[in-house]
């Protein structure tokens, strides 16, 4: 299979390219890092790149929480306009298979249960509560403490920041393309991806990159809130493998299918920082109590659908992956 990998020179994209080639596919890299003319927002460049292609693995995106709404136009241009240009070119050239780099951020907060009211969906956390160090979202009905759980693909979307909004819009665009063309589209909603080659020292990187970059400078990782916020840290090679099996699967025509893509083992941000520091031999993390307004408290999703339907399962455990990442090289922003 000849696969165009947009963003194929980036962190996740480069691992996707490596995995595809190991599985016998021809991976074609389309990335401005390698060629300034390879801009996914350029219709002519995208049409040329699609020549002879069987499928597209769309990894190109502006990622991370960003800077409030100050860079909203850049996010929309890179993520949504870029996706729209790509899909229009795919429709024109007859390429009918798409695997999209989605994100768990489309859910907003994760799954929660109240002892009195069952499954509930808390709203955005109040600034006054965050300032007072009350980080757990309360039950929206009675205000009681909640128990965090897993969120499935059928949970309603509730994006809480600009980046999340653009990732959801990408899925809507892909669904519209699939319906209009009869093509097949899958969105892999990534959890917190980490691993070798992650970019360093950039406001758009994930929390694992922030911690690893601090350790490389000999500084203690700075953990926001109280460090007990839950995430699912999934290794980049496992994410790359998920992309490969999605491309090889017989997806339903005329529709978008979404799959949560995580390790299945929730860990706290504080535990991740401690594991990285221990493996690196660096300073112990410092819990600061600071917060970012666009962050959610807990988000860990149920990835069993991907395992059951596509036969994928993660191969890299948390301790093994963090030990490797603590010693691996990173790339520039």
């Amino acid at each position: 299979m000849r696969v165009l990998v947009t963003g194929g020179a980036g962190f996740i994209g480069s691992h996707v390219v490596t995995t595809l080639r190991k599985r016998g596919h021809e991976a074609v890299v389309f990335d401005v890092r390698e060629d300034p003319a390879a801009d996914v927002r350029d219709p002519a460049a995208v049409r040329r790149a699609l020549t002879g292609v069987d499928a597209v693995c769309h990894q190109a995106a502006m990622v991370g929480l960003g800077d409030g709404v100050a860079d909203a136009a850049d996010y929309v241009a890179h993520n949504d306009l870029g996706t729209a240009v790509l899909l229009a070119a795919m429709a024109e050239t007859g390429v009918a298979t798409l695997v999209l780099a989605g994100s768990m951020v489309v859910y907003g907060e994760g799954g929660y249960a109240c002892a009195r009211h069952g499954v509930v969906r808390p709203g955005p956390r109040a600034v006054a509560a965050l300032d007072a160090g009350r980080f757990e979202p309360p039950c929206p009905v009675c205000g009681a403490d909640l128990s965090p759980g897993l969120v499935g693909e059928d949970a309603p979307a509730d994006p809480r920041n600009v980046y999340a909004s653009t990732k959801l819009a990408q899925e809507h665009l892909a669904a519209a393309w699939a319906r209009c063309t009869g093509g097949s589209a899958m969105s892999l909603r990534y959890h917190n991806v980490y691993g070798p080659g992650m970019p360093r020292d950039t406001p758009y990187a994930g929390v694992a990159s922030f911690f690893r970059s601090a350790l490389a400078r000999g500084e203690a990782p700075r953990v926001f809130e109280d460090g007990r916020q839950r995430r699912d840290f999934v290794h980049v090679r496992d994410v790359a493998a998920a992309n490969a099996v999605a491309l090889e699967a017989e997806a339903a025509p005329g529709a978008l299918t979404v799959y949560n893509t995580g390790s299945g083992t929730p860990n706290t941000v504080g535990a991740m920082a401690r594991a990285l520091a221990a493996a690196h031999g660096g300073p112990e993390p410092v819990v600061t109590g600071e917060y970012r307004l666009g962050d959610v408290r807990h988000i860990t999703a149920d990835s069993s659908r991907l395992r059951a339907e596509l036969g994928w399962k993660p191969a890299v455990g948390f301790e093994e992956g963090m030990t490797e990442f603590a010693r691996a090289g990173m790339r520039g922003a």
Side-chain angles (χ1 to χ4, degrees), residues 284-323:
E284 284 289 310
V286 175
V287 177
T288 69
E290 298 171 87
Y291 66 86
R292 296 193 303 179
L293 194 59
D295 278 340
V296 297
R297 178 60 173 174
H298 304 294
I299 174 64
T300 55
D302 181 355
S303 300
S304 59
R305 178 186 291 180
L306 181 58
R307 291 160 171 75
E309 295 186 6
L310 300 189
W312 170 87
K313 62 179 180 180
V316 183
F318 178 75
E319 294 295 337
E320 172 193 355
M322 289 297 164
T323 298

Side-chain angles (χ1 to χ4, degrees), residues 261-285:
T261 307
S263 72
T265 307
N267 281 279
T268 67
V269 172
M272 187 267 284
R274 290 190 296 272
L276 270 181
H280 191 272
E284 284 289 310

Side-chain angles (χ1 to χ4, degrees), residues 194-259:
Y194 73 96
M198 199 171 193
R200 65 175 181 270
D201 296 323
T202 166
Y204 301 99
V207 65
S209 172
F210 284 129
F211 293 166
R212 177 65 180 78
S213 297
L215 289 165
R217 297 190 300 269
E219 300 171 3
R222 294 175 59 82
V223 180
F224 280 14
E225 301 187 17
D226 57 5
R228 298 191 182 99
Q229 54 271 47
R230 287 159 49 103
R231 298 291 188 269
D232 184 327
F233 300 100
V234 58
H235 197 279
V236 66
R237 287 196 299 273
D238 287 331
V239 168
N243 277 273
V245 299
L247 286 162
E248 294 163 356
E250 293 186 9
L256 171 73
T257 307
V258 299
Y259 292 104

Side-chain angles (χ1 to χ4, degrees), residues 76-135:
V76 172
H78 284 88
N79 298 355
D80 299 338
L81 175 60
T83 299
V85 169
L86 172 66
L87 293 172
M90 290 175 66
E92 181 180 340
T93 57
V95 179
T97 300
L98 171 73
V99 172
L100 172 68
S103 176
M104 54 81 189
V105 295
V106 301
Y107 296 118
E109 287 286 353
Y112 291 87
C114 172
R116 293 178 57 193
H117 298 101
V119 175
V120 294
R121 296 278 296 175
R125 294 180 291 173
V127 171
L130 294 169
D131 286 342
R134 299 194 302 272
F135 301 119

